[in-house]
Amino acid sequence: MQVLRKLLFPISLVYGLIVFLRNRCYDLGIFSSKSFTTRTICVGNLSVGGTGKTPMIELLVRSLHQKYQLAILSRGYKRKSNGFLLSTHNTSVEDLGDEPFQLKSKFQKVAVAVDADRRNGIAQLEQLVKPDVILLDDAFQHRKVKPDYSILLTAYNNIYVKDWYLPTGNLRDSKREAQRANTIVITKCPKNLSLSQRNEIVGKINPKEYQKILFSYLSYNKDLKGISANLDELKDKKVTLVTGIANPVPLEKFLLGEGVTFEHMKFNDHHFFTEQEITVLKGKQCILTTEKDYVRLKSKLANLYYIEVSHQFLDDDSKIFETELEIFMTSNS
């Protein structure tokens, strides 16, 4: 695969040129970016692959929901519906998409909507919900909307400054677009990341004066959901790990570190399981999956556990994050 990616380097040059021209058209006002009356917070990345966008949306909800009425707007990737859809108690995971459905299941009082047209989605939410703030999931590259605050995520093991355009690399947008972010979060860091290592990363990113660089790691909850159990109870079971996420490696490492042995059935990100695959899974003794996969499997399997994941900031970065949010929310009220 790496050899093939290198052979496709000329295509990545063409892709990079198209991305550059598109962004320049927005910078010069040839293409328009629309601002909205309702405050918007954008969460996104510059690359394909998992950087932890959904856990970051969850973190924002937990930080803001007690003071503000929130709405979440997502594209609803691989959903089986079209156009704008505001979720209700009767909305299915197929119509909403797995990640928006996960968010709605966890935060019942938060309006969750999907629309590939972010402008239309915001306008509809302003009319139907009238929230104080709209959280835009995976919208950093969607420049038709000009968010009021942007959080850019980049994974520790593949920071965007060291990456290259698709298909040779994983970048779907230009590195220079990082300057549009208010906060850049380095996700999936080792817990013991030293201050000197952090300073080295900050030096490579070379942030603008107005930008904060924060560091976080993934925290897995050992109290499993679905079938309630503690992770330690799975050590003596024949566990099948089922994942349909972009990067399951951190979860694999965590489970192995906790002494859980497992066979791993890997599927593509946002995978909708076929009847044949469900039949195979029904024959497994104990299935452990992610929260995102659980919402697609829970109505089809009985022997199902899932593990929650969240962002935890290193050292004082949590306080910095909360302070930045509070400054933004109060200065735009």
Side-chain angles (χ1 to χ4, degrees):
M1 180 60 71
Q2 292 302 317
V3 173
L4 178 60
R5 281 190 152 202
K6 290 178 181 178
L7 290 174
L8 294 174
F9 180 74
I11 296 176
S12 73
L13 292 176
V14 175
Y15 180 86
L17 177 61
I18 293 171
V19 168
F20 171 78
L21 293 174
R22 172 182 175 272
N23 281 312
R24 285 298 291 165
C25 285
Y26 278 106
D27 295 338
L28 296 172
I30 299 171
F31 297 161
S32 63
S33 293
K34 184 175 180 180
S35 298
F36 287 83
T37 303
T38 304
R39 286 168 288 190
T40 52
I41 299 177
C42 169
V43 174
N45 54 19
L46 298 177
S47 63
V48 296
T51 54
K53 293 183 292 294
T54 300
M56 181 56 66
I57 291 289
E58 291 186 8
L59 182 58
L60 287 168
V61 172
R62 292 193 177 95
S63 298
L64 298 171
H65 81 280
Q66 291 185 343
K67 289 185 178 181
Y68 306 98
Q69 182 179 358
L70 305 178
I72 299 170
L73 179 62
S74 173
R75 174 186 174 187
Y77 187 66
K78 284 194 175 181
R79 63 189 171 111
K80 297 180 180 180
S81 61
N82 296 304
F84 176 83
L85 178 64
L86 179 61
S87 64
T88 68
H89 294 297
N90 298 321
T91 307
S92 69
V93 62
E94 288 82 8
D95 286 338
L96 200 61
D98 50 16
E99 289 169 339
F101 190 88
Q102 172 188 329
L103 292 165
K104 185 60 182 178
S105 300
K106 184 170 286 187
F107 305 109
Q108 293 288 332
K109 295 183 179 180
V110 175
V112 177
V114 290
D115 197 338
D117 183 343
R118 299 309 205 282
R119 285 185 178 182
N120 181 66
I122 295 171
Q124 293 279 358
L125 284 171
E126 286 184 329
Q127 181 179 355
L128 299 172
V129 179
K130 298 178 176 60
D132 298 315
V133 58
I134 298 173
L135 307 179
L136 304 175
D137 181 25
D138 194 16
F140 193 81
Q141 75 278 16
H142 293 281
R143 296 198 61 184
K144 287 185 178 180
V145 171
K146 185 177 181 180
D148 299 304
Y149 192 92
S150 291
I151 300 172
L152 178 66
L153 309 182
T154 184
Y156 168 79
N157 63 350
N158 191 27
I159 297 174
Y160 67 86
V161 292
K162 300 186 292 183
D163 208 345
W164 184 249
Y165 293 110
L166 291 165
T168 298
N170 293 312
L171 287 181
R172 57 178 173 174
D173 207 345
S174 170
K175 299 174 188 179
R176 77 183 291 273
E177 296 307 307
Q179 66 187 345
R180 293 190 284 109
N182 300 89
T183 296
I184 299 173
V185 182
I186 316 301
T187 64
K188 303 184 179 182
C189 295
K191 292 184 182 180
N192 60 350
L193 191 67
S194 68
L195 182 60
S196 62
Q197 289 173 311
R198 289 180 232 175
N199 287 337
E200 182 180 351
I201 291 171
V202 172
K204 290 178 180 178
I205 291 176
N206 191 24
K208 303 294 183 181
E209 293 181 1
Y210 53 85
Q211 292 181 313
K212 299 289 184 182
I213 308 292
L214 307 179
F215 296 84
S216 72
Y217 62 92
L218 293 180
S219 176
Y220 293 97
N221 188 349
K222 294 177 65 175
D223 291 322
L224 305 177
K225 303 293 178 62
I227 300 176
S228 296
N230 188 276
L231 185 62
D232 292 336
E233 297 176 43
L234 268 59
K235 291 181 180 180
D236 297 325
K237 294 181 181 291
K238 190 174 181 180
V239 177
T240 300
L241 176 65
V242 177
T243 61
I245 58 178
N247 181 16
V249 173
L251 177 56
E252 290 178 320
K253 290 181 178 179
F254 170 76
L255 293 175
L256 292 172
E258 292 295 320
V260 178
T261 56
F262 54 88
E263 65 166 335
H264 191 177
M265 295 180 65
K266 300 179 185 178
F267 298 90
N268 291 332
D269 198 12
H270 305 280
H271 179 74
F272 277 93
F273 297 88
T274 66
E275 289 301 321
Q276 184 178 359
E277 290 164 347
I278 294 298
T279 300
V280 172
L281 293 176
K282 284 180 177 178
K284 303 297 182 180
Q285 180 188 60
C286 169
I287 297 176
L288 177 63
T289 191
T290 68
E291 190 171 2
K292 185 169 81 170
D293 295 304
Y294 176 77
V295 300
R296 284 179 268 115
L297 290 169
K298 65 178 181 178
S299 63
K300 302 173 183 178
L301 297 172
N303 53 338
L304 193 60
Y305 305 77
Y306 74 86
I307 186 166
E308 292 180 310
V309 63
S310 63
H311 285 295
Q312 298 291 331
F313 287 105
L314 296 177
D315 299 335
D316 292 331
D317 282 4
S318 178
K319 295 179 181 177
I320 297 172
F321 182 78
E322 294 290 340
T323 299
E324 290 296 304
L325 273 183
E326 186 64 23
I327 291 172
F328 163 69
M329 293 302 296
T330 54
S331 65
N332 286 272
S333 57

